[in-house]
């Protein structure tokens, strides 16, 4: 908790540095809005079912005097809600209409006629309730906000049946006070709906600007500007920058503008720029997460090459002479931030890494031997198959230089040749085999993506997809 509070404090100080352009863009189409409305029907039905109806008091003239009555302890027993009709309202937010809602209410009645008191119960059926509302979508302190700016409701007809006591006296006079009952119900509908929207707004207000991704990095998910509402959809521009949790700082590059095409045939579209991806690489690099210590027990027994000074003798002749038959360890780490660039023709990956070699003494202590600096580049292909992101890497270049040595100078050419061969023969086939299996698209609490397509554009990657929920039979 304390660490996340510190993250928020740091984020407040640095989040405006790169706030000129968003690194993430998200679009909800009319098709997506209709799906959201479908899922929201149960929520809206629950909100309307929770309406608290006040007592209704009045009097009925029965010819020989007035019978005073009180209808009380009324509760909604059933609420049948048709799926709402929703549409984007350009420049404002969302218009929502509910037509043909019906409500069943039960309660108790008490009467007083002179010194005579009576009581019983009743049932009310409310038909053709209509709700018309407009929701304002905006931004408040760089997060999405929602409020009700217009709401109206009307009630078509009311049917009342009295039971118990002298209820036969009141049933003929239902028309006299059914209008009053209908009005009491009507005036409670919009406040109940607004109450639900206020609850939703409080949930949005509680969403932190910093989203912790894993123990190493977090992401700034604040909005860079107000939501863009058009008749065809809702667009959100999100900062989308990653930071190291241990040492949050800005990367030495800035976001560029990109324009995500709105895909109306899909429920949602999502675009991530090069800056978003590379800020994640920078965050992991500065967090020290992009490193691994390689030991002999990690090398397959069937491998022709093993981590010991004797095996390295064919590449570095003086090594086994200075440290005969000693196990070795390698520390592999990124020396600079890996950089990815997107274009319609190719996705390029540039990787600068270093390898430190150590000899392992009998007491498990280590002796530094040398450091190799590696510069490599790859081309990448990525695509989506069903709900899996798949791809392949191809090595374009690999160059090795001797960065430091504790054992004297030696030729790099055999090592560079061996690393190139090892990358092409062993490492890349394993990486590509894993990439061909795919990585599942993210999902939250039973919701996910389906029918997804990916497009690599100049400077960003775009995904268009439909949204699947718990009530969907297909994924």
């Amino acid at each position: 908790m304390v660490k996340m509070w510190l993250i928020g404090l740091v984020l407040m100080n640095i989040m405006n540095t790169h706030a000129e352009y968003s690194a993430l863009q998200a679009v909800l189409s009319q098709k997506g809005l209709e799906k959201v409305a479908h899922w929201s029907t149960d929520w809206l039905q629950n909100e309307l079912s929770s309406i608290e109806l006040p007592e209704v008091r009045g009097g009925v003239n029965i010819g020989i005097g007035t019978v005073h009555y009180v209808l009380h302890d009324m509760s909604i027993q059933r609420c049948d809600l048709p799926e709402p009709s929703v549409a984007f309202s350009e420049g404002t937010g969302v218009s929502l209409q509910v037509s043909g809602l019906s409500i069943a209410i039960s309660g108790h009645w008490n009467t007083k006629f002179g010194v005579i008191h009576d009581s019983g119960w009743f049932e009310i059926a409310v038909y053709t309730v209509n709700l018309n509302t407009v929701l304002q979508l905006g931004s408040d302190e760089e997060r999405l906000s929602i409020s009700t700016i217009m709401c109206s409701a009307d009630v078509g007809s009311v049917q009342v049946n009295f039971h118990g006591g002298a209820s036969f006296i009141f049933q003929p006079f239902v028309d006299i006070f059914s209008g009053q009952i209908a009005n009491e119900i009507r005036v409670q509908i919009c406040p109940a709906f607004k109450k639900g929207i206020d609850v939703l707004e409080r949930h949005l207000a509680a969403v932190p600007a910093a989203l912790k991704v894993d123990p190493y990095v977090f992401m700034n998910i604040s909005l860079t500007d107000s939501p863009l509402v058009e008749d065809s959809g809702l667009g959100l521009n999100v900062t989308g920058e990653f930071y190291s949790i241990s040492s949050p700082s800005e990367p030495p590059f800035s976001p560029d503008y990109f324009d995500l095409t709105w895909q109306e045939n899909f429920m949602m579209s999502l675009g991530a720029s090069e800056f978003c991806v590379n800020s994640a690489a920078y965050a992991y690099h500065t967090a020290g997460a992009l490193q691994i210590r390689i030991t002999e027990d990690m090398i397959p027994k069937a491998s022709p090459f093993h981590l010991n000074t004797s095996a390295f003798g064919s590449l570095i002749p003086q090594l086994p002479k200075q440290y005969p038959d000693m196990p070795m360890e390698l520390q592999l780490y990124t020396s600079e931030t890996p950089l990815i660039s997107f274009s319609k023709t190719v996705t390029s990956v540039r990787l600068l890494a270093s390898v430190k070699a150590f000899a392992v003494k009998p007491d498990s202590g280590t002796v530094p031997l040398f450091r190799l600096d590696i510069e490599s580049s790859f081309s990448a292909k990525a695509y989506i198959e069903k709900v899996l992101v798949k791809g392949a890497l191809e090595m374009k270049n690999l160059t090795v230089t001797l960065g430091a040595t504790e054992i004297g100078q030696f030729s790099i050419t055999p090592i560079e040749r061996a690393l190139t061969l090892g990358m092409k023969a062993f490492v890349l086939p394993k990486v590509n085999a894993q990439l061909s299996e795919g990585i599942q698209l993210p999902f939250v609490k039973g919701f996910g993506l389906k029918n997804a397509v990916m497009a690599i554009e100049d400077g960003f990657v775009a995904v268009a997809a439909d949204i699947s929920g718990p009530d969907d039979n297909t994924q």
Side-chain angles (χ1 to χ4, degrees):
M1 180 64 71
V2 173
K3 178 169 282 190
M4 291 310 295
W5 178 83
L6 291 174
I7 289 174
L9 184 62
V10 172
L11 188 59
M12 289 175 61
N13 293 325
I14 66 176
M15 69 193 311
N16 292 324
T17 306
H18 282 161
E20 184 177 359
Y21 296 126
S22 63
L24 276 178
Q25 295 181 19
V27 175
L28 182 70
S29 68
Q30 175 64 32
K31 181 180 178 181
L33 179 64
E34 292 170 357
K35 189 67 172 181
V36 173
H38 169 73
W39 289 326
S40 301
T41 301
D42 288 342
W43 166 80
L44 181 57
Q45 184 164 296
N46 289 335
E47 289 300 319
L48 293 177
S49 297
S50 65
I51 293 176
E52 296 181 1
L53 298 173
E55 292 182 348
V56 177
R57 296 175 176 270
V60 178
N61 191 329
I62 60 173
I64 58 174
T66 299
V67 177
H68 298 278
Y69 64 87
V70 179
L71 306 182
H72 60 94
D73 293 332
M74 290 187 286
S75 61
I76 296 179
Q77 301 299 312
R78 189 181 72 254
C79 180
D80 295 328
L81 176 65
E83 192 159 305
S85 173
V86 292
F88 288 109
S89 178
E90 186 168 354
T92 303
V94 176
S95 64
L96 182 147
Q97 293 181 333
V98 178
S99 301
L101 168 68
S102 61
I103 303 173
I105 301 171
S106 65
H108 294 84
W109 59 266
N110 293 87
T111 60
K112 180 180 179 182
F113 182 67
V115 295
I116 301 174
H117 297 263
D118 203 356
S119 63
W121 73 96
F122 64 89
E123 298 164 341
I124 300 177
V126 184
Y127 301 102
T128 321
V129 178
N130 299 320
L131 172 68
N132 185 19
T133 184
V134 176
L135 302 177
Q136 174 81 55
L137 297 176
S139 60
D140 182 10
E141 298 182 352
E142 299 178 322
R143 53 94 184 165
L144 183 65
S145 64
I146 185 170
S147 60
T148 306
I149 60 174
M150 190 280 288
C151 183
S152 63
D154 62 75
V155 176
S157 60
V158 174
Q159 178 181 331
V160 183
N161 291 307
F162 289 95
H163 305 279
S167 57
F168 63 92
I169 298 177
F170 305 104
Q171 197 64 45
F173 300 95
V174 164
D175 292 341
I176 297 177
F177 51 86
S178 61
Q180 182 180 357
I181 296 172
N183 185 65
E184 290 289 347
I185 295 172
R186 180 187 62 79
V187 298
Q188 293 294 324
I189 292 175
C190 280
F193 180 82
K194 291 179 180 179
K195 181 181 177 181
I197 295 300
D198 290 342
V199 171
L200 179 58
E201 166 62 15
R202 287 195 293 272
H203 284 302
L204 291 174
V207 175
L211 174 65
K212 185 178 179 181
V213 178
D214 56 32
Y216 299 102
V217 304
F218 68 94
M219 178 196 250
N220 181 354
I221 57 172
S222 61
L223 300 181
T224 60
D225 49 33
S226 298
L228 177 61
V229 183
E230 297 184 357
D231 289 340
S232 59
L234 165 69
L236 298 176
N237 292 325
V238 182
T239 301
E241 183 173 354
F242 290 83
Y243 295 92
S244 163
I245 291 177
S246 59
S247 54
S249 60
E250 293 289 352
F253 43 84
S254 299
D256 293 322
Y257 172 80
F258 74 98
D259 187 15
L260 177 66
T261 301
W262 292 24
Q263 301 288 345
E264 297 181 12
N265 293 329
F266 292 89
M267 294 180 188
M268 66 163 292
S269 304
L270 181 67
S273 69
E274 289 176 358
F275 177 81
C276 175
V277 177
N278 288 326
S279 73
Y282 176 79
Y284 281 108
H285 172 71
T286 55
L290 301 182
Q291 60 178 309
I292 183 174
R293 200 168 188 91
I294 304 172
T295 59
E296 171 62 25
D297 57 6
M298 299 169 63
I299 306 297
K301 293 182 178 181
S303 172
F305 193 85
H306 290 273
L307 277 180
N308 57 67
T309 54
S310 297
F312 266 84
S314 60
L315 303 175
I316 310 173
Q318 70 266 39
L319 180 58
K321 296 177 182 179
Q322 297 181 31
Y323 299 96
D325 199 26
M326 292 180 65
M328 293 176 60
E329 288 184 357
L330 300 178
Q331 184 181 7
L332 175 63
Y333 59 94
T334 54
S335 53
E336 294 185 16
T337 303
L339 292 177
I340 298 175
S341 61
F342 296 122
S343 74
K344 291 184 177 180
T345 56
V346 65
T347 297
S348 299
V349 182
R350 178 175 177 265
L351 179 63
L352 297 178
S354 293
V355 179
K356 289 183 178 180
F358 303 87
V360 182
K361 297 188 295 185
D363 62 358
S364 298
T366 58
V367 179
L369 301 175
F370 55 86
R371 189 193 81 231
L372 302 177
D373 295 330
I374 304 171
E375 181 176 354
S376 58
S377 61
F378 303 84
S379 63
K381 295 181 180 179
Y383 60 96
I384 291 180
E385 187 175 286
K386 295 184 178 179
V387 293
L388 299 175
V389 179
K390 300 184 177 182
L393 284 175
E394 179 183 353
M395 190 173 71
K396 308 299 291 184
N397 179 62
L398 188 146
T399 303
V400 181
T401 57
L402 183 61
T405 177
E406 305 293 334
I407 59 174
Q409 296 297 314
F410 53 89
S411 175
I412 294 299
T413 302
I415 295 178
E416 184 176 272
R417 189 181 299 117
L419 282 176
T420 301
L421 178 62
M423 285 291 294
K424 291 182 177 180
F426 300 104
V427 178
L428 281 180
K430 288 187 176 181
V431 172
N432 286 331
Q434 186 172 357
L435 290 175
S436 67
E437 294 179 1
I439 301 172
Q440 186 166 346
L441 291 169
F443 60 91
V444 178
K445 295 181 179 179
F447 295 90
L449 303 179
K450 63 179 182 180
N451 305 325
V453 295
M454 175 186 288
I456 307 296
E457 304 291 346
D458 293 333
F460 69 99
V461 58
V463 175
D466 291 329
I467 310 170
S468 64
D471 60 344
D472 293 329
N473 294 323
T474 59
Q475 296 294 323

